[in-house]
């Protein structure tokens, strides 16, 4: 019966979703604290969300009106076969020079909740970020309506100014913390906009942490959040009270409204700072918005390792384990910089993708990419387990481009512990070892808490050059297949030639 019904539906044609972004500086008072220079598009911040349907092609025409190169990354989109459209500066491209234009064009065959952001310097933290919603042709779960909560950390100073203060070796170490405020869908958290709930209806609530460095917790006290999506991957429904999102992460949850409209409720978006600043007594900032139409028991906080993927994809096997130790090093210059296996990433002079395409037989030798790119070369279709070890007192969001990572296991690091901050702090209790369900969730951004390790698996089925950060390594995947199959658009090669001239 159902099959017959589907057979007579007209075939939905995939659309071209054309979006024009003139990226430039905009003056705005976003937090109600200070008018400041932001980065927006078409003279506007926040940047409107982009909404499309699976299999549509995104045509993003970007003109750069800044005085520095820019580039745009779609966080979570695999770019399978279109690696050169991925966006990170000096990994897959040289950036769009000031005054120039470039069109990012690619078909999107994934569904769920994603976001676009600048991937040159820290342009995202000055405002160059927007939600990207890709809807299914047939909803995998039933719901009546949906709301997106795009959460941003916001500072009253530009990133460059804050960074210069943090890195100034003549200033106190560790630097005095600056407190971010939160923006919710572009509005100051203090002016959170109401959402309407109707009795008995079910809503899909999408929450995106678009922040640069801060974590968020999201809840609707009195309502259960039935998680169905983590980073574009559907899960079996999983009931929690609080979502906890590291920068870059997304969740969708189904929320069923109460049967009565006698009371109104609140939604709660709380921005909080990692452990190091907790130690310095920086309190979280709580923002409440009205759920218009109304509390309880112990709270269940999400732990993504407890999610099962909906497709019943089993735990992947392992051909090779790669250990990555993430830490911070205090350099003689007085700067503290992030490292992977004791190497601090430094942008190469030539995008790594161009090196991978031109190195021939040498392309499988990690050394050929320069030691500071922290290149890890994977063979085509190899099953990899990354064993990521964080012996430091800071939480780190680990994000890989071009893939999702199955979360296989996490647990406490055995030590020794490492902290460049000569502060005395209470050693936190790291979580106990926990292994995934037989059908683990995979996601593109994984929180790596202080003093923990996590084991993440993937199959190398997407040839390309993929950055892994915020502690940076470059995954060079199947360069032999890439050299045979990838044809860079002429326009990109011209920009590269122009930039190196
Ligand atoms: C948002 O992500 C940032 C970056 O990982 C993280 O520090 C912050 O805790 C996240 N916010 C929430 C509320 O989870
Ligand atoms: C808001 O959420 C935060 C973090 O989950 C929690 O500490 C705080 O008590 C909540 N406040 C209200 C009023 O719900
Ligand atoms: C990193 O450096 C530390 C201290 O200098 C050393 O003990 C450790 O073995 C090094 N780790 C790696 C992975 O090279
Ligand atoms: C990339 O495409 C190939 C061929 O269509 C497919 O086998 C592979 O699973 C895809 N990888 C990802 C990460 O989508």
């Amino acid at each position: 019966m159902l099959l017959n019904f589907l057979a007579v539906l007209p075939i939905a044609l995939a659309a071209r979703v054309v979006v024009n972004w003139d990226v430039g500086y905009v003056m705005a008072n976003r937090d109600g604290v200070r008018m400041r220079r932001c980065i927006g598009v078409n003279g506007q911040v926040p940047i409107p969300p982009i909404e499309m349907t699976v299999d549509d092609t995104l045509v993003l025409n970007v003109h750069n009106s800044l005085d520095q190169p820019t580039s745009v990354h779609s966080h979570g989109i695999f770019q399978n076969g279109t690696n050169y459209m991925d966006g990170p500066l000096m990994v897959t491209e040289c950036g769009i020079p000031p005054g120039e234009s470039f069109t990012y064009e690619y078909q999107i065959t994934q569904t769920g909740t994603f976001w676009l952001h600048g991937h040159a310097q820290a342009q995202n933290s000055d405002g160059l970020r927007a939600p990207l919603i890709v809807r299914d042709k047939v909803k995998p779960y039933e719901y009546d309506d949906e709301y997106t909560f795009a959460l941003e950390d916001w500072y009253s100073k530009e990133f460059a100014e804050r960074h210069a203060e943090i890195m100034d070796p003549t200033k106190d170490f560790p630097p005095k913390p600056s407190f971010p405020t939160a923006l919710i869908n572009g509005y100051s958290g203090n002016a959170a906009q109401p959402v309407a709930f109707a009795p008995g209806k079910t809503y899909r609530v999408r929450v995106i942490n678009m922040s640069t460095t801060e974590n968020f917790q999201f809840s609707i006290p009195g309502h259960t959040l039935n998680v169905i999506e983590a980073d574009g991957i559907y899960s079996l429904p999983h009931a929690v009270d609080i979502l906890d999102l590291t920068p870059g992460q997304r969740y969708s949850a189904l929320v069923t409204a109460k049967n009565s409209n006698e009371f109104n409720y609140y939604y709660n978006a709380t921005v909080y700072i990692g452990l190091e600043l907790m130690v310095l007594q920086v309190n979280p900032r709580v923002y409440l918005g009205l759920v218009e139409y109304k509390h309880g028991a112990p709270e269940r906080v999400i732990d993504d390792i407890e999610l099962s993927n909906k497709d019943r994809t089993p735990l992947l096997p392992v051909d090779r384990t790669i250990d990555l130790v993430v830490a911070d090093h205090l350099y003689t210059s007085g700067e503290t910089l992030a490292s992977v296996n004791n190497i601090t990433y430094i942008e190469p002079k030539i995008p790594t993708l161009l090196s991978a395409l031109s190195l021939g037989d040498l392309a499988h030798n990690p050394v050929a990419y320069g030691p500071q790119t922290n290149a890890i070369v994977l063979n085509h279709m190899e099953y990899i387990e990354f064993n990521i070890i964080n012996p430091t007192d800071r939480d780190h969001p680990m994000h890989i481009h071009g893939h999702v990572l199955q979360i296989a296991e996490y647990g406490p690091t055995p030590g020794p512990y490492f902290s460049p901050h000569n502060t005395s702090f209470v050693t936190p209790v790291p979580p106990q070892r926990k292994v995934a369900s037989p059908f683990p969730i995979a996601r593109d951004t994984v929180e790596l808490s202080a003093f923990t390790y996590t084991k993440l698996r993937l199959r190398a089925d997407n040839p390309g050059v993929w950055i892994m950060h915020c502690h940076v390594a470059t995954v060079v995947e199947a360069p032999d297949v890439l050299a045979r199959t990838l044809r860079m658009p002429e326009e990109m090669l011209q920009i590269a030639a122009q930039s190196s001239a």
Side-chain angles (χ1 to χ4, degrees):
M1 210 29 222
L2 181 67
L3 282 177
N4 283 341
F5 174 71
L6 287 176
V8 298
L9 279 177
I11 298 165
L13 288 177
R16 283 167 63 81
V17 177
V18 180
V19 178
N20 299 314
W21 274 17
D22 183 357
V23 176
Y25 297 113
V26 180
M27 292 299 293
N29 181 349
R30 304 193 69 195
D31 54 6
V33 176
R34 185 171 170 240
M35 179 71 94
R36 53 155 281 193
R37 194 172 78 159
C38 317
I39 298 180
V41 306
N42 311 330
Q44 199 185 349
V45 272
I47 303 171
I50 295 176
E51 301 186 32
M52 44 201 290
T53 303
V54 61
D55 295 336
D56 287 352
T57 295
L58 177 62
V59 182
L60 180 66
N61 298 310
V62 180
H63 178 75
N64 183 6
S65 294
L66 302 172
D67 54 7
Q68 51 177 307
T70 191
S71 74
V72 178
H73 168 57
S74 0
H75 184 119
I77 299 301
F78 295 147
Q79 300 291 7
N80 198 341
T82 47
N83 189 189
Y84 42 76
M85 293 295 175
D86 196 40
L89 197 73
M90 300 324 283
V91 177
T92 58
E93 63 164 279
C94 295
I96 308 167
E100 302 287 326
S101 301
F102 179 73
T103 299
Y104 292 91
E105 178 167 346
Y106 41 87
Q107 193 186 22
I108 299 187
T109 55
Q110 297 159 259
T111 64
T113 312
F114 305 91
W115 60 300
L116 293 171
H117 64 85
H119 216 300
Q121 280 66 42
Q123 292 169 8
N124 59 328
S125 64
D126 287 326
L128 188 52
R129 48 196 180 189
L132 168 66
I133 310 296
V134 188
R135 299 217 161 77
D136 298 86
K137 284 181 182 144
V138 178
K139 283 185 203 162
Y141 289 106
E142 267 316 307
Y143 48 90
D144 299 299
D145 204 350
E146 63 171 79
Y147 290 110
T148 298
F149 293 88
L151 310 176
E152 299 175 65
D153 54 351
W154 194 252
Y155 295 84
S156 54
K157 288 180 183 171
E158 282 182 57
F159 179 85
E161 199 181 338
R162 285 190 295 122
H163 190 254
E165 286 173 8
I166 292 168
M167 289 303 180
D168 184 345
T170 65
K171 293 273 168 64
D172 293 348
F173 190 84
K176 296 257 180 313
S178 56
F179 315 115
T181 58
L183 303 180
I184 305 170
N185 293 333
Y187 291 93
S188 158
N190 290 319
Q193 301 299 296
V195 295
F197 269 28
K201 296 263 196 234
T202 298
Y203 298 91
R204 175 175 182 166
V205 170
R206 301 176 191 256
V207 185
I208 312 177
N209 186 349
M210 303 202 302
S211 75
T212 319
T213 51
E214 306 315 331
N215 294 321
F216 274 91
Q217 288 202 339
F218 180 88
S219 58
I220 309 178
H223 294 68
T224 299
L225 304 172
N226 275 298
V227 175
I228 53 159
E229 181 212 344
D231 297 353
I233 304 289
Y234 283 113
S235 70
L236 295 176
H238 181 76
V240 299
D241 300 306
I242 297 177
L243 300 176
D244 193 294
L245 304 98
T246 204
Q249 291 184 326
R250 292 89 62 207
Y251 284 110
S252 282
L254 297 181
V255 182
T256 298
K258 306 267 181 199
N259 282 321
S260 126
N261 59 4
E262 198 183 342
F263 300 104
N264 286 336
Y265 290 76
Y266 291 92
Y267 61 84
N268 175 343
T270 294
V271 60
Y272 70 95
I273 305 174
L275 180 71
E276 84 213 274
L277 295 178
M278 292 287 202
V279 180
L280 302 172
Q281 263 107 69
V282 174
N283 292 314
R285 290 195 170 179
V286 178
Y287 296 96
L288 303 174
L290 200 59
V291 174
E292 245 160 7
Y293 74 48
K294 201 180 172 176
H295 296 309
E299 291 160 340
R300 293 161 290 175
V301 179
I302 188 147
D303 188 348
D304 54 11
I305 204 166
E306 291 172 2
L307 292 173
S308 301
N309 73 72
K310 184 165 185 279
D311 299 338
R312 299 184 78 76
T313 306
L315 181 64
L316 298 175
V318 179
D319 294 327
R320 184 155 61 111
T321 296
I322 299 174
D323 289 337
L324 300 174
V325 179
V326 301
D328 301 292
H329 291 271
L330 181 56
Y331 283 78
T332 48
S333 62
E335 294 174 303
T336 307
L337 299 174
S339 71
V340 172
N341 291 349
N342 286 348
I343 295 173
T344 292
Y345 179 85
I346 297 177
E347 240 172 38
K349 299 269 183 270
I350 294 170
T352 309
L353 173 60
L354 294 185
S355 303
L357 291 174
S358 57
L359 279 169
D361 289 346
L362 279 176
H364 270 88
N365 187 346
V367 177
Y369 299 95
Q372 300 288 147
T373 63
N374 233 328
I376 300 165
V377 180
L378 308 185
N379 299 317
H380 191 42
M381 291 310 209
E382 202 180 8
Y383 289 103
I384 298 292
E385 179 171 83
F386 291 106
N387 179 27
I388 310 185
I389 302 155
N390 176 14
T392 78
D393 59 345
R394 293 206 298 150
D395 299 346
H396 300 297
M398 295 303 298
H399 169 50
I400 189 167
H401 290 202
H403 281 280
V404 285
L405 297 160
Q406 260 191 355
I407 307 176
E409 184 180 322
Y410 68 63
T413 47
Y417 299 138
F418 174 80
S419 168
H421 311 144
N422 287 322
T423 46
S424 54
F425 55 86
V426 184
T427 306
V429 182
Q432 290 306 300
R433 175 172 178 271
K434 206 156 172 180
V435 297
S437 74
F439 308 108
I441 197 78
R443 64 188 314 172
D444 58 53
T445 309
V446 177
E447 162 120 59
L448 184 62
S449 305
F451 308 124
T452 64
Y453 71 86
T454 180
K455 295 186 177 180
L456 305 171
R457 296 186 185 181
L458 63 74
R459 181 163 209 207
D461 64 358
N462 190 9
V465 174
W466 309 115
I467 189 169
M468 197 197 271
H469 53 107
C470 63
H471 284 245
V472 188
T474 315
V475 175
V476 179
E477 178 175 338
D480 47 342
V481 178
L482 201 58
R484 278 204 310 276
T485 58
L486 195 75
R487 292 289 161 261
M488 297 269 286
E490 195 51 41
E491 193 192 354
M492 285 200 100
L493 294 171
Q494 277 166 13
I495 289 185
Q498 214 177 320
S499 303
S500 58

